[in-house]
Amino acid sequence: MALTSRISLHGPATDDPEDYFGSSLGVIFPDDVTNQHGDAEHSLLYTSPHLPQPLHIALSDPDQENDRKLFSHYLWNSSLLLAEFVEAGTLHLPLNVGLGRLKPEDFDVTGLEILELGAGTALPSIISALLGASHVAVTDYPSNIVLKMLRANVAANAKPKGSPSNTVAPLTVDGHSWGELDTPFAASNRGRFDRVFVCDCLWMPWQHVNLHKSISWFLNDSSSSRAWVVAGFHTGRTKMRDFFMEAALLDAGLELESIWERDCDGVEREWAWDRGQEDVSERKRWLAVGVLRKVRLPSSGIGG
């Protein structure tokens, strides 16, 4: 099943020729994939056969240039993919993932504390809350319009009637700027989380160090804690790949456990640092999936 098959626009019909053209791109260019979804006039319906009802995802309409530059007013394919992984892992559904190096249950969030950084629409966080996580914290840049829409989406969808078990985990929304660790939110949640979600946050190379710092700060020290990082190649491989550099991760006390590439139809291949000149339409089909963990210190060999 195609990654984008669960998404549909919801809202008034339009007479705008540009909207007609945009909605027809998949017919005109069958190999082209939409990697960002929605607009301020149309909300989105996320329909899963494993949820009792569709999720209704509204999108913000930022009027400030700085807010528009965040691109959090779209749903991105990286969020769709992580939501799919969480659903399959937690509900024990069949899923071929990680080139055979991982199992679906590796993405089980049952009973876990979850944090999402740069959440945008918070789709994987909402899915986690509905499927059995113990607590979910959703964060994005502390912009009023971004946080207002996040809270609206949480309120609309994080309800027991949307859960297969008729339960929903506590879910909070807070502002957090990556790397700013002297705030009340950062101070009260240091080392709290079993999983940290990062979806399509790698397109700003100048923020990689700050993102490393936040992941390391909030991830707990358990040997089982992980950060799941999913990012599309639509902005170019060179913009996002340095996030996964070993030395940069080590500076933040992190290491890469696994990394691979997956396209919108579920085809997987090994991660490549450089694939030469990549066609824009082709690279839009692919996403990188990385699993990070805290650096494991060597054993001292001294019993205790």
Side-chain angles (χ1 to χ4, degrees):
M1 181 180 293
L3 182 62
T4 59
S5 62
R6 295 183 176 185
I7 288 292
S8 58
L9 284 176
H10 179 73
T14 179
D15 295 324
D16 190 331
E18 289 189 6
D19 289 340
Y20 280 125
F21 178 73
S23 64
S24 303
L25 286 175
V27 176
I28 302 170
F29 307 107
D31 292 330
D32 193 60
V33 170
T34 301
N35 58 298
Q36 62 187 55
H37 308 275
D39 55 54
E41 287 75 38
H42 298 84
S43 58
L44 296 168
L45 291 181
Y46 178 85
T47 304
S48 165
H50 308 292
L51 296 179
Q53 62 185 29
L55 302 182
H56 190 174
I57 300 172
L59 301 164
S60 62
D61 185 16
D63 56 2
Q64 300 295 319
E65 181 67 18
N66 286 341
D67 291 340
R68 287 195 297 272
K69 288 180 179 179
L70 298 173
F71 294 101
S72 60
H73 51 293
Y74 296 107
L75 174 63
W76 296 87
N77 284 350
S78 54
S79 292
L80 290 174
L81 184 58
L82 187 52
E84 180 181 305
F85 285 178
V86 167
E87 183 183 82
T90 308
L91 297 180
H92 310 295
L93 305 173
L95 177 71
N96 294 318
V97 63
L99 295 168
R101 295 190 288 265
L102 297 176
K103 304 179 292 297
E105 53 265 35
D106 290 325
F107 291 91
D108 186 350
V109 299
T110 303
L112 300 183
E113 296 252 6
I114 307 294
L115 168 70
E116 185 166 6
L117 299 171
T121 61
L123 176 63
S125 288
I126 293 170
I127 293 286
S128 297
L130 294 173
L131 296 186
S134 65
H135 173 263
V136 181
V138 179
T139 68
D140 209 326
Y141 186 79
S143 154
N144 289 334
I145 192 167
V146 171
L147 296 181
K148 178 180 179 181
M149 190 54 61
L150 265 177
R151 292 188 175 104
N153 280 325
V154 166
N157 294 292
K159 298 179 178 179
K161 65 181 181 180
S163 165
S165 61
N166 200 40
T167 59
V168 60
L171 201 156
T172 59
V173 176
D174 288 279
H176 172 65
S177 294
W178 306 332
E180 294 187 8
L181 307 176
D182 56 355
T183 64
F185 175 81
S188 61
N189 287 284
R190 183 177 188 179
R192 174 175 181 176
F193 299 98
D194 305 295
R195 296 291 182 271
V196 175
F197 296 173
V198 180
C199 294
D200 253 325
C201 295
L202 308 188
W203 55 276
M204 299 178 289
W206 58 92
Q207 284 291 343
H208 287 176
V209 170
N210 286 330
L211 189 51
H212 291 153
K213 289 178 180 178
S214 286
I215 293 171
S216 184
W217 180 271
F218 290 113
L219 198 62
N220 68 41
D221 291 328
S222 167
S223 63
S224 61
S225 65
R226 296 292 185 273
W228 295 334
V229 182
V230 186
F233 290 106
H234 48 277
T235 57
R237 187 177 296 264
T238 56
K239 280 192 175 182
M240 49 83 75
R241 66 187 181 188
D242 286 354
F243 175 86
F244 296 110
M245 286 184 63
E246 181 179 7
L249 290 170
L250 282 173
D251 283 344
L254 300 170
E255 61 186 3
L256 189 61
E257 179 180 68
S258 186
I259 187 170
W260 68 98
E261 300 178 15
R262 185 181 178 99
D263 83 347
C264 61
D265 293 319
V267 176
E268 296 190 335
R269 65 189 184 189
E270 294 288 354
W271 159 260
W273 187 260
D274 187 0
R275 291 189 182 273
Q277 186 67 33
E278 295 181 270
D279 177 78
V280 174
S281 294
E282 174 66 13
R283 79 184 188 208
K284 282 171 61 180
R285 301 179 60 85
W286 288 89
L287 304 100
V289 184
V291 180
L292 306 182
R293 65 189 181 195
K294 289 283 191 75
V295 171
R296 295 181 175 181
L297 298 176
S299 172
S300 66
I302 301 174

